[in-house]
PDB file of all heavy atoms in Angstrom:
ATOM      1  N   THR D 164       1.249 -10.412   1.938  1.00  0.00           N
ATOM      2  CA  THR D 164       1.881 -11.146   0.841  1.00  0.00           C
ATOM      3  C   THR D 164       2.431 -10.106  -0.150  1.00  0.00           C
ATOM      4  O   THR D 164       1.731  -9.224  -0.611  1.00  0.00           O
ATOM      5  CB  THR D 164       0.813 -12.031   0.139  1.00  0.00           C
ATOM      6  OG1 THR D 164       0.353 -12.991   1.092  1.00  0.00           O
ATOM      7  CG2 THR D 164       1.369 -12.718  -1.071  1.00  0.00           C
ATOM      8  N   CYS D 165       3.715 -10.242  -0.437  1.00  0.00           N
ATOM      9  CA  CYS D 165       4.394  -9.252  -1.292  1.00  0.00           C
ATOM     10  C   CYS D 165       4.842  -9.837  -2.603  1.00  0.00           C
ATOM     11  O   CYS D 165       4.976 -11.067  -2.772  1.00  0.00           O
ATOM     12  CB  CYS D 165       5.647  -8.733  -0.546  1.00  0.00           C
ATOM     13  SG  CYS D 165       5.226  -7.920   0.973  1.00  0.00           S
ATOM     14  N   LEU D 166       5.065  -8.958  -3.528  1.00  0.00           N
ATOM     15  CA  LEU D 166       5.614  -9.268  -4.863  1.00  0.00           C
ATOM     16  C   LEU D 166       6.833  -8.441  -5.064  1.00  0.00           C
ATOM     17  O   LEU D 166       7.063  -7.481  -4.324  1.00  0.00           O
ATOM     18  CB  LEU D 166       4.579  -8.929  -5.966  1.00  0.00           C
ATOM     19  CG  LEU D 166       3.181  -9.561  -5.893  1.00  0.00           C
ATOM     20  CD1 LEU D 166       2.281  -8.907  -6.886  1.00  0.00           C
ATOM     21  CD2 LEU D 166       3.317 -11.059  -6.159  1.00  0.00           C
ATOM     22  N   THR D 167       7.624  -8.778  -6.091  1.00  0.00           N
ATOM     23  CA  THR D 167       8.689  -7.839  -6.522  1.00  0.00           C
ATOM     24  C   THR D 167       8.011  -6.809  -7.396  1.00  0.00           C
ATOM     25  O   THR D 167       6.892  -6.973  -7.871  1.00  0.00           O
ATOM     26  CB  THR D 167       9.774  -8.578  -7.293  1.00  0.00           C
ATOM     27  OG1 THR D 167       9.186  -9.096  -8.519  1.00  0.00           O
ATOM     28  CG2 THR D 167      10.420  -9.706  -6.479  1.00  0.00           C
ATOM     29  N   LYS D 168       8.726  -5.690  -7.691  1.00  0.00           N
ATOM     30  CA  LYS D 168       8.170  -4.694  -8.553  1.00  0.00           C
ATOM     31  C   LYS D 168       7.823  -5.232  -9.930  1.00  0.00           C
ATOM     32  O   LYS D 168       6.731  -5.011 -10.445  1.00  0.00           O
ATOM     33  CB  LYS D 168       9.150  -3.493  -8.662  1.00  0.00           C
ATOM     34  CG  LYS D 168       8.573  -2.339  -9.452  1.00  0.00           C
ATOM     35  CD  LYS D 168       9.536  -1.176  -9.503  1.00  0.00           C
ATOM     36  CE  LYS D 168       8.913  -0.027 -10.240  1.00  0.00           C
ATOM     37  NZ  LYS D 168       9.789   1.166 -10.266  1.00  0.00           N
ATOM     38  N   PRO D 169       8.717  -6.041 -10.577  1.00  0.00           N
ATOM     39  CA  PRO D 169       8.357  -6.581 -11.875  1.00  0.00           C
ATOM     40  C   PRO D 169       7.141  -7.511 -11.844  1.00  0.00           C
ATOM     41  O   PRO D 169       6.282  -7.465 -12.750  1.00  0.00           O
ATOM     42  CB  PRO D 169       9.650  -7.395 -12.270  1.00  0.00           C
ATOM     43  CG  PRO D 169      10.755  -6.767 -11.543  1.00  0.00           C
ATOM     44  CD  PRO D 169      10.137  -6.309 -10.217  1.00  0.00           C
ATOM     45  N   GLU D 170       6.960  -8.258 -10.731  1.00  0.00           N
ATOM     46  CA  GLU D 170       5.775  -9.111 -10.611  1.00  0.00           C
ATOM     47  C   GLU D 170       4.503  -8.254 -10.487  1.00  0.00           C
ATOM     48  O   GLU D 170       3.512  -8.567 -11.104  1.00  0.00           O
ATOM     49  CB  GLU D 170       5.936 -10.052  -9.385  1.00  0.00           C
ATOM     50  CG  GLU D 170       6.941 -11.144  -9.558  1.00  0.00           C
ATOM     51  CD  GLU D 170       7.254 -11.851  -8.249  1.00  0.00           C
ATOM     52  OE1 GLU D 170       7.056 -11.250  -7.159  1.00  0.00           O
ATOM     53  OE2 GLU D 170       7.719 -13.006  -8.342  1.00  0.00           O
ATOM     54  N   ALA D 171       4.605  -7.175  -9.706  1.00  0.00           N
ATOM     55  CA  ALA D 171       3.489  -6.313  -9.539  1.00  0.00           C
ATOM     56  C   ALA D 171       3.119  -5.636 -10.869  1.00  0.00           C
ATOM     57  O   ALA D 171       1.919  -5.501 -11.211  1.00  0.00           O
ATOM     58  CB  ALA D 171       3.771  -5.244  -8.467  1.00  0.00           C
ATOM     59  N   GLN D 172       4.123  -5.254 -11.626  1.00  0.00           N
ATOM     60  CA  GLN D 172       3.861  -4.655 -12.947  1.00  0.00           C
ATOM     61  C   GLN D 172       3.258  -5.642 -13.898  1.00  0.00           C
ATOM     62  O   GLN D 172       2.356  -5.253 -14.684  1.00  0.00           O
ATOM     63  CB  GLN D 172       5.189  -4.096 -13.506  1.00  0.00           C
ATOM     64  CG  GLN D 172       5.661  -2.868 -12.766  1.00  0.00           C
ATOM     65  CD  GLN D 172       7.099  -2.458 -13.148  1.00  0.00           C
ATOM     66  OE1 GLN D 172       7.901  -3.275 -13.571  1.00  0.00           O
ATOM     67  NE2 GLN D 172       7.370  -1.154 -13.006  1.00  0.00           N
ATOM     68  N   LYS D 173       3.663  -6.912 -13.834  1.00  0.00           N
ATOM     69  CA  LYS D 173       3.037  -7.963 -14.707  1.00  0.00           C
ATOM     70  C   LYS D 173       1.549  -8.101 -14.348  1.00  0.00           C
ATOM     71  O   LYS D 173       0.717  -8.240 -15.254  1.00  0.00           O
ATOM     72  CB  LYS D 173       3.752  -9.281 -14.505  1.00  0.00           C
ATOM     73  CG  LYS D 173       5.067  -9.337 -15.269  1.00  0.00           C
ATOM     74  CD  LYS D 173       5.698 -10.723 -15.082  1.00  0.00           C
ATOM     75  CE  LYS D 173       7.129 -10.768 -15.621  1.00  0.00           C
ATOM     76  NZ  LYS D 173       7.803 -12.038 -15.371  1.00  0.00           N
ATOM     77  N   TRP D 174       1.236  -8.109 -13.052  1.00  0.00           N
ATOM     78  CA  TRP D 174      -0.177  -8.232 -12.658  1.00  0.00           C
ATOM     79  C   TRP D 174      -0.961  -7.036 -13.195  1.00  0.00           C
ATOM     80  O   TRP D 174      -2.063  -7.166 -13.688  1.00  0.00           O
ATOM     81  CB  TRP D 174      -0.309  -8.289 -11.124  1.00  0.00           C
ATOM     82  CG  TRP D 174      -0.493  -9.687 -10.648  1.00  0.00           C
ATOM     83  CD1 TRP D 174       0.414 -10.365  -9.829  1.00  0.00           C
ATOM     84  CD2 TRP D 174      -1.530 -10.583 -10.948  1.00  0.00           C
ATOM     85  NE1 TRP D 174      -0.085 -11.620  -9.594  1.00  0.00           N
ATOM     86  CE2 TRP D 174      -1.284 -11.816 -10.253  1.00  0.00           C
ATOM     87  CE3 TRP D 174      -2.700 -10.486 -11.700  1.00  0.00           C
ATOM     88  CZ2 TRP D 174      -2.150 -12.907 -10.317  1.00  0.00           C
ATOM     89  CZ3 TRP D 174      -3.573 -11.595 -11.742  1.00  0.00           C
ATOM     90  CH2 TRP D 174      -3.249 -12.780 -11.082  1.00  0.00           C
ATOM     91  N   GLN D 175      -0.371  -5.856 -13.084  1.00  0.00           N
ATOM     92  CA  GLN D 175      -1.039  -4.689 -13.552  1.00  0.00           C
ATOM     93  C   GLN D 175      -1.364  -4.754 -15.051  1.00  0.00           C
ATOM     94  O   GLN D 175      -2.474  -4.476 -15.450  1.00  0.00           O
ATOM     95  CB  GLN D 175      -0.268  -3.428 -13.207  1.00  0.00           C
ATOM     96  CG  GLN D 175      -1.021  -2.158 -13.488  1.00  0.00           C
ATOM     97  CD  GLN D 175      -0.445  -0.964 -12.702  1.00  0.00           C
ATOM     98  OE1 GLN D 175       0.285  -1.144 -11.773  1.00  0.00           O
ATOM     99  NE2 GLN D 175      -0.863   0.200 -13.137  1.00  0.00           N
ATOM    100  N   LEU D 176      -0.374  -5.158 -15.822  1.00  0.00           N
ATOM    101  CA  LEU D 176      -0.576  -5.294 -17.243  1.00  0.00           C
ATOM    102  C   LEU D 176      -1.607  -6.329 -17.549  1.00  0.00           C
ATOM    103  O   LEU D 176      -2.451  -6.129 -18.482  1.00  0.00           O
ATOM    104  CB  LEU D 176       0.731  -5.626 -17.950  1.00  0.00           C
ATOM    105  CG  LEU D 176       1.779  -4.514 -18.089  1.00  0.00           C
ATOM    106  CD1 LEU D 176       3.106  -5.007 -18.645  1.00  0.00           C
ATOM    107  CD2 LEU D 176       1.220  -3.408 -18.979  1.00  0.00           C
TER     108      LEU D 176
END
Side-chain angles (χ1 to χ4, degrees):
T164 298
C165 300
L166 303 169
T167 63
K168 184 176 183 179
E170 290 169 335
Q172 290 170 331
K173 283 181 189 175
W174 262 116
Q175 188 159 344
L176 286 173

